[in-house]
Amino acid sequence: MYINPELFSKHPETTVTQKEMDSYLFLEENGVDYIRAEHDEAATIELCEEIEKVIDAKICKNLLLCNRQQTKFYMLLIPGDMVFKTKYLSAQINSARLSFASGEQMEKMLNVTPGSLTVLALMYDKNKEIELLIEKNVFKEEFFGCHPCINSATVRFKTEDLKNKVLPALNREYTIVDLECPEDEA
């Protein structure tokens, strides 16, 4: 996998997709200092681990979930190395039978394809159809890493900026969840 070792601190001057540019401009307009790395598509956590070495931050895993009836949708942010078990989440949000939303639903609701899901895509959820859930350990990291609505680039910014700038600019409430496995199940 190719990763450009040069890091950038502003949006590119070259042509990128509109949703990628929207992500950079959103960060810049809201006073979020970031660095960005350019690379080949990184649709798996294993590939993201290589990028983490370059940006010196963990990349957050983002999941789009829904209830069985597909009437409630959730975006879950968890540390990239955390194993996700639905039973721990279901009990905390009172929603049984959670499953992954389809790629088509992701594209329709958030304008991103699987592998590119990011908290920044919530700027496209104008009707606030998606409830944001954040695993408590996400906030323990100094930096937050995510894709800018496309998985051929990654941005890193302070986790404090996620809480104090990004989420307020998105006008987003969120629920903190605890998804750590009990010791006897780890």
Side-chain angles (χ1 to χ4, degrees), residues 35-51:
I35 60 165
R36 68 178 170 84
E38 297 172 349
H39 47 75
D40 291 336
E41 283 191 15
T44 67
I45 288 299
E46 293 76 29
L47 293 173
C48 288
E49 288 172 351
E50 295 302 311
I51 300 162

Side-chain angles (χ1 to χ4, degrees), residues 40-90:
D40 291 336
E41 283 191 15
T44 67
I45 288 299
E46 293 76 29
L47 293 173
C48 288
E49 288 172 351
E50 295 302 311
I51 300 162
E52 289 175 345
K53 295 172 188 169
V54 174
I55 66 168
D56 195 26
K58 298 283 184 191
I59 297 173
C60 190
K61 189 186 306 183
N62 306 274
L63 306 173
L64 187 62
L65 307 167
C66 61
N67 63 1
R68 181 174 43 168
Q69 300 83 5
Q70 297 186 3
T71 55
K72 289 202 61 122
F73 290 85
Y74 308 91
M75 180 184 290
L76 174 63
L77 309 183
I78 63 174
D81 56 358
M82 180 174 268
V83 175
F84 171 60
K85 295 189 178 181
T86 59
K87 70 179 181 177
Y88 299 121
L89 180 60
S90 294

Side-chain angles (χ1 to χ4, degrees), residues 1-47:
M1 175 168 135
Y2 172 74
I3 303 170
N4 185 342
E6 184 179 358
L7 299 174
F8 305 92
S9 60
K10 65 177 193 137
H11 65 273
E13 298 299 325
T14 59
T15 305
V16 294
T17 65
Q18 187 60 52
K19 58 189 170 185
E20 183 180 1
M21 186 60 80
D22 288 348
S23 296
Y24 301 133
L25 295 177
F26 171 83
L27 293 171
E28 291 169 15
E29 289 166 4
N30 289 289
V32 178
D33 292 327
Y34 66 90
I35 60 165
R36 68 178 170 84
E38 297 172 349
H39 47 75
D40 291 336
E41 283 191 15
T44 67
I45 288 299
E46 293 76 29
L47 293 173

